[in-house]
Amino acid sequence: MLIRKLLECPEFVAGDATLLRELLHPDKQPLALRYSLAHAIVPPGASSKPHSLKTSEVYYVLSGTAEMHINDDVQTIVPGDAVYIPPDAKQFVRNLSAEPFVFLCIVDPAWQPEDETVD
């Protein structure tokens, strides 16, 4: 059994400017996973940088309200929303709330630096 505690995972600033903690990644733990799972935060009033991945991604919103941009589509997302982001889509989020915007990111296949382009 593998249990990862969020606060024991190192926090770092990702290439898209989100505060990230990587919970599960098949390259970092002995797991038979195709995907990676990360916990992300965008501070109040901030935005992630526009970026795209060669892989698909899902955001699951835990807290806060944000404006989700995927290519030319813009929608407000709130806790409980799951957002599918197709491969190669230009994406970013803008925090609309006075609290941190917190979400989980699932990338399938697992995130790799060479799969991401940040504008």
Side-chain angles (χ1 to χ4, degrees), residues 21-44:
R21 291 179 191 263
E22 218 167 35
L23 290 161
L24 298 173
H25 195 293
D27 292 349
K28 298 180 180 163
Q29 291 100 21
L31 303 170
L33 292 178
R34 283 184 31 93
Y35 62 87
S36 57
L37 173 65
H39 180 272
I41 299 173
V42 176

Side-chain angles (χ1 to χ4, degrees), residues 6-7 10 47 97:
L6 178 65
L7 296 180
S47 296
S97 54

Side-chain angles (χ1 to χ4, degrees), residues 69-80:
H69 296 251
I70 300 175
N71 294 324
D72 295 326
D73 194 7
V74 180
Q75 294 191 40
T76 300
I77 55 176
V78 298

Side-chain angles (χ1 to χ4, degrees), residues 18 20 23 42 50 74 80 91 103 105 108 113:
T18 58
L20 208 66
L23 290 161
V42 176
V74 180
Q91 59 163 302
F103 58 105
C105 308
D108 182 37

Side-chain angles (χ1 to χ4, degrees), residues 55-111:
T55 56
S56 66
E57 186 170 20
V58 171
Y59 286 2
Y60 181 76
V61 181
L62 298 173
S63 65
T65 300
E67 190 174 77
M68 182 80 222
H69 296 251
I70 300 175
N71 294 324
D72 295 326
D73 194 7
V74 180
Q75 294 191 40
T76 300
I77 55 176
V78 298
D81 287 350
V83 181
Y84 171 73
I85 304 160
D88 299 313
K90 184 173 279 191
Q91 59 163 302
F92 70 95
V93 293
R94 183 170 64 94
N95 187 346
L96 300 176
S97 54
E99 64 180 299
F101 179 68
V102 182
F103 58 105
L104 297 176
C105 308
I106 301 168
V107 178
D108 182 37
W111 181 87

Side-chain angles (χ1 to χ4, degrees), residues 13-20 47-51 59 91 103 116 118:
V13 178
D16 69 352
T18 58
L19 299 173
L20 208 66
S47 296
S48 62
K49 291 181 182 177
H51 62 287
Y59 286 2
Q91 59 163 302
F103 58 105
E116 182 173 35
V118 179

